[in-house]
Amino acid sequence: PAAASARADVDAAGAAAAALKKYPGVVSSVDRDGAVWHVDVIGKNGKHAELTVDTRSGKVFTENADDDSDDDGQNKALAAAKVTAQQAMKAAVAAHSGQVRSVEWDDDDDNGSRYWNVEVQSGDKTTNVHVDAASGKATVSTSDSDDDGGN
């Protein structure tokens, strides 16, 4: 079974897990860019790390790790969130089937709400799903980001 999984593409959840294995902490975002996933992690040491995860091998590379101390309390809010990036991905796919293309922590300055913005791709359509960071409730956004660029 290990050989079979090594041949399959690493999904967003797998990329997050691989990044956390190399750099323990809390995932703040995951985004696919061609043959790699970009994973941002706030480490247990408070440092921010930008990691890349190969979509084929799952190998993790550290792009940057710095002590970019807490930007306006966002890291503390992220660390205190009841719902992790991985749980948000599961909730988003349960609300709207497809494959996760990205997940990003959103600490809305306007009304103080905290949620995960998860992009789920189904066919050639990408749908934004907001997952509440406290309750885990997934809401499909009414503003989809279609990448067809045609019309």
Side-chain angles (χ1 to χ4, degrees), residues 56-106:
R56 288 286 184 189
S57 68
K59 188 169 174 139
V60 181
F61 303 91
T62 304
E63 292 296 316
N64 187 24
D66 56 36
D67 187 10
D68 120 71
S69 292
D70 204 351
D71 35 294
D72 300 331
Q74 192 167 335
N75 294 353
K76 286 184 183 125
L78 173 61
K82 292 181 181 171
V83 178
T84 66
Q86 298 88 319
Q87 292 165 328
M89 287 185 253
K90 286 180 185 174
V93 170
H96 185 81
S97 64
Q99 288 190 317
V100 173
R101 299 297 296 170
S102 71
V103 60
E104 184 174 11
W105 173 253
D106 197 336

Side-chain angles (χ1 to χ4, degrees), residues 25-126:
V26 179
V27 172
S28 63
S29 70
V30 178
D31 185 38
R32 184 159 182 165
D33 184 13
V36 296
W37 288 99
H38 294 281
V39 183
D40 284 357
V41 176
I42 305 303
K44 291 183 177 180
N45 58 5
K47 293 188 178 192
H48 170 248
E50 297 170 6
L51 308 165
T52 56
V53 180
D54 184 280
T55 60
R56 288 286 184 189
S57 68
K59 188 169 174 139
V60 181
F61 303 91
T62 304
E63 292 296 316
N64 187 24
D66 56 36
D67 187 10
D68 120 71
S69 292
D70 204 351
D71 35 294
D72 300 331
Q74 192 167 335
N75 294 353
K76 286 184 183 125
L78 173 61
K82 292 181 181 171
V83 178
T84 66
Q86 298 88 319
Q87 292 165 328
M89 287 185 253
K90 286 180 185 174
V93 170
H96 185 81
S97 64
Q99 288 190 317
V100 173
R101 299 297 296 170
S102 71
V103 60
E104 184 174 11
W105 173 253
D106 197 336
D107 191 351
D108 190 347
D109 293 332
D110 294 336
N111 64 12
S113 66
R114 295 181 171 111
Y115 60 90
W116 293 98
N117 184 40
V118 184
E119 287 186 352
V120 179
Q121 185 169 0
S122 181
D124 61 356
K125 184 175 182 176
T126 303

